[in-house]
Amino acid sequence: MDAAGQESFREFVAGRSSALLKTAVLLSGGDRHAAEDLLQNALIKAAGRWQRIDEPEAYVRQILYRQQISRWRLKWRRREVTVAELPESGAADGVAGVELRLVMRGALARLTARQRTMLVLRYFEDLPEADVARILGCSVGTVRSTTHRSLARLRELAPELAGLGRAAVEQRPSRDFSPVEVRP
C-alpha cells in the first residue's frame, strides 16, 4: 500500500471505528473483547485490499457479518457471562436508559448467534430482508421466519422490554443505508 493509501486507511479507521465497533459488539452478543477482535480482523482484511475497495465501510461491515457467521458455524461453546445486578429503578435520571440497555444486552447475549445476527442486521443496521438474505446466504423466507422467532424469544427473555411500545421505536433516528455492492 502506498503512502496515500495508508493515510486514507488511517483516516477511515479513525473516523469509523466507533460505529463499526458498536455493530461488532451487537454481533458478538455484548462481548466487547470478542467485538474488538472481530473488528480488528475485519480491518486487517480490508487493509490488504484497500486500494481496490470502492465503498470501505460497506466492505468492512460485510467482513464483520461474514466473520461472525463463520464463528457461529464453528459451534464453539460459549463461556458463561456473569453480569452484576441491575441498579434500582428510579434511582437517578438516565438510569432507566442504562437499565434498558443492560436488559437488552443481556437478552441479546442469550439469543443464538444466528438469531442475534438477524436482529442486528434487520433492526440495528436497518437493512431490508433481501439484503440480510444476501449477506447471510439464505432465503428471504428464512430471514423472515428467523427474525420472527428471534423477536419472540427476545420478548420471552426480557418481558420488561414490552413496556416500550411503539413510541420508543418511532423515536429512534432513521438511518439511510442504501444497498451497496461489495466486491471481493
Side-chain angles (χ1 to χ4, degrees):
M1 181 180 328
D2 62 358
Q6 287 179 354
E7 185 59 31
S8 70
F9 182 72
R10 282 190 185 109
E11 289 174 8
F12 171 76
V13 171
R16 298 306 303 157
S17 286
S18 62
L20 292 168
L21 183 60
K22 287 178 185 176
T23 300
V25 168
L26 289 170
L27 287 171
S28 63
D31 184 349
R32 184 160 177 98
H33 297 292
E36 289 171 351
D37 290 344
L38 187 66
L39 179 58
Q40 185 175 9
N41 289 336
L43 290 173
I44 288 169
K45 287 183 179 184
R49 301 183 61 91
W50 189 251
Q51 301 292 16
R52 297 180 295 247
I53 300 173
D54 293 330
E55 294 288 334
E57 186 163 353
Y59 188 83
V60 172
R61 286 181 185 276
Q62 184 82 11
I63 294 170
L64 285 173
Y65 306 146
R66 289 184 177 170
Q67 280 186 308
Q68 185 61 25
I69 290 169
S70 295
R71 284 184 179 190
W72 50 259
R73 283 184 178 157
L74 290 175
K75 297 183 181 177
W76 283 355
R77 294 249 183 226
R78 287 180 15 136
R79 290 183 290 168
E80 185 174 329
V81 178
T82 57
V83 296
E85 290 185 30
L86 296 176
E88 292 182 21
S89 61
D93 290 340
V95 171
V98 171
E99 186 174 318
L100 178 62
R101 284 192 300 274
L102 288 173
V103 169
M104 180 61 86
R105 179 176 283 171
L108 282 172
R110 293 190 338 229
L111 292 175
T112 66
R114 182 177 181 90
Q115 291 173 327
R116 187 172 48 250
T117 301
M118 289 282 186
L119 292 180
V120 167
L121 292 175
R122 282 288 291 133
Y123 298 108
F124 180 75
E125 292 295 324
D126 204 21
L127 294 175
E129 292 168 339
D131 289 350
V132 174
R134 183 180 48 78
I135 288 169
L136 298 179
C138 61
S139 70
V140 173
T142 300
V143 171
R144 288 180 183 153
S145 62
T146 303
T147 301
H148 177 76
R149 284 192 302 272
S150 302
L151 287 173
R153 179 74 176 137
L154 193 63
R155 287 185 194 106
E156 179 183 306
L157 292 171
E160 54 271 27
L161 295 176
L164 290 177
R166 204 69 176 139
V169 173
E170 291 170 359
Q171 290 176 358
R172 185 176 62 113
S174 176
R175 292 182 170 195
D176 182 26
F177 287 109
S178 302
V180 177
E181 181 180 337
V182 178
R183 291 182 224 136

